[in-house]
Amino acid sequence: MMVAVLPLTAEDLLQSPRWSGAPSALGTLGVAFGASWIASHMRRRSRRTALALGYLLSTVAAGVAAAGAASAAFLLMAGAVFFVGAGFAASRLSRYAAADLYAPAERSAAIGWNVWAATIGSVAGPLALGATLRAGRSAGVPDVVTPFVVAAAAFAVSALVIHARYSPLAESATASAYTTGGIDHASPSGLRLAVISLLAGQIVMVLVMTMTPIHMRHHGHDLDSVGIVFASHTLGMYAFSPIAGWLSDRLGRVTVIVTSCLLLSIAGFLASTSTLTTASLATAQFLLGVGWSFSFVAASALLTESAPAVDRVRWQGSADSLVWGTAAFAGVASGLLLSSVGYAALSRFGGALALVPLLFVWGQAKRRVVSS
């Protein structure tokens, strides 16, 4: 809910769409910072402590962002969103905690179900956006404040649940996985493909998704329509992640990564040619979400099994920092591109970028043929 309205809130405070992607970009940059910060706490303390700490940080930061939005203090709101993102990195790193508890043949499925767990909130949140804002108004809460309040409450519940329900036995099993297991199957080429795929998927999604609400509002859509389109996108992102995991375990990580590239590219070009109906935009955003899901799940599993076992947590944190840091710049670029070249050109550019991992896969296949 907060993510859906963030560009709109920024545009209202700035009276221009040009830098409306900046708060979202700062939040993404916060995830990049938080990934390394939380991973370092995982190595020094425990997963449970580090994950709960991340959610607590987001709880406080969302409250500060609400105060900034209420007082029309754009810089305060945007700065607080950075720390919301830093804490939110706990949610992203939790997929690696799940993957490390399973054998290689089941890791993608574990990641897929972990990602799927976000489906309910990510779909229900945007769909309930209009009704929640109306409820906030009846209670005297301004529209710009309500989504941040909801986010703060959700993060607080997450911190409590993680602290209460994450099993110490699970942490012991995870620690054992790093110190035992015999041969280290580290694969530098697998690591490179995993990081490139994570980068491409995140950048393309951020470029196209971030500016879609503003594009819709500029063409007369109301917040209920924005909520439907955003819910379609998040449905694609999360609801099909178990299928992505199942396919990745059975067909291979690379096959699913290639599929994700094609889906993301199709989504970008569909968005650039879609009519301005809610249905056409929802279809493009749905495919964008599915393509991201396939990339995110398969590449995360590939990274987990390709990284050196004794240094896996550091690699996971560093990779996420790189991915989210790059995506932050994509968030800023999305607003600039919308203002300068328009939504159609922005979407086509994203569709082209989605094909970059295919070049790496093709190069690896060509080298194998030559060497054989």
Side-chain angles (χ1 to χ4, degrees):
M1 189 179 296
M2 185 187 73
V3 172
V5 302
L6 196 54
L8 303 178
T9 302
E11 185 183 32
D12 288 340
L13 295 181
L14 294 172
Q15 298 298 308
S16 169
R18 186 169 183 81
W19 294 102
S20 57
S24 296
L26 281 171
T28 305
L29 193 61
V31 178
F33 167 78
S36 292
W37 176 64
I38 294 173
S40 69
H41 278 282
M42 286 180 176
R43 295 196 302 272
R44 295 198 307 268
R45 299 179 183 179
S46 68
R47 287 193 183 276
R48 180 170 65 176
T49 300
L51 294 175
L53 184 63
Y55 284 124
L56 283 174
L57 173 61
S58 289
T59 301
V60 175
V64 175
S71 59
F74 174 78
L75 292 179
L76 178 61
M77 183 203 73
V81 169
F82 172 87
F83 290 100
V84 172
F88 182 71
S91 174
R92 294 310 187 193
L93 289 174
S94 68
R95 75 191 190 277
Y96 292 125
D100 289 336
L101 300 179
Y102 287 82
E106 299 174 305
R107 279 178 183 155
S108 285
I111 293 172
W113 282 108
N114 177 272
V115 174
W116 175 88
T119 304
I120 297 173
S122 64
V123 174
L127 285 177
L129 179 59
T132 304
L133 293 177
R134 287 190 288 272
R137 285 182 214 127
S138 67
V141 180
D143 286 358
V144 294
V145 173
T146 300
F148 295 110
V149 173
V150 173
F155 286 129
V157 171
S158 299
L160 291 172
V161 171
I162 284 289
H163 188 267
R165 301 297 298 168
Y166 193 90
S167 170
L169 294 176
E171 295 204 63
S172 298
T174 303
S176 176
Y178 294 137
T179 56
T180 62
I183 300 173
D184 186 349
H185 296 286
S187 168
S189 62
L191 274 175
R192 286 193 290 270
L193 176 58
V195 173
I196 290 171
S197 300
L198 287 168
L199 277 168
Q202 194 67 34
I203 290 171
V204 172
M205 186 187 72
V206 169
L207 275 176
V208 181
M209 177 270 293
T210 303
M211 288 298 107
T212 297
I214 290 179
H215 172 66
M216 293 180 66
R217 186 162 73 170
H218 287 177
H219 289 85
H221 291 268
D222 58 19
L223 281 177
D224 287 328
S225 296
V226 172
I228 291 171
V229 171
F230 205 84
S232 299
H233 174 66
T234 52
L235 177 69
M237 285 177 64
Y238 300 120
F240 296 90
S241 52
I243 296 175
W246 184 84
L247 291 172
S248 178
D249 285 334
R250 282 151 184 80
L251 302 180
R253 318 309 189 207
V254 176
T255 300
V256 175
I257 286 173
V258 169
T259 303
S260 75
C261 294
L262 298 177
L263 287 171
L264 287 166
S265 184
I266 291 170
F269 285 101
L270 271 180
S272 71
T273 58
S274 66
T275 62
L276 288 176
T277 64
T278 300
S280 63
L281 290 167
T283 300
Q285 288 296 310
F286 172 77
L287 288 177
L288 185 72
V290 174
W292 174 87
S293 176
F294 275 45
S295 172
F296 194 69
V297 170
S300 296
L302 181 61
L303 187 148
T304 295
E305 61 196 18
S306 299
V310 297
D311 207 19
R312 190 170 293 150
V313 172
R314 184 180 67 82
W315 272 102
Q316 290 165 346
S318 298
D320 270 23
S321 290
L322 177 62
V323 168
W324 294 99
T326 306
F329 290 102
V332 174
S334 65
L336 297 175
L337 286 171
L338 181 69
S339 297
S340 58
V341 299
Y343 184 77
L346 180 156
S347 299
R348 286 194 294 270
F349 179 62
L353 280 180
L355 301 176
V356 170
L358 296 184
L359 300 176
F360 184 85
V361 173
W362 178 77
Q364 289 292 104
K366 186 176 181 181
R367 281 191 287 273
R368 283 194 296 269
V369 170
V370 172
S371 63
S372 61

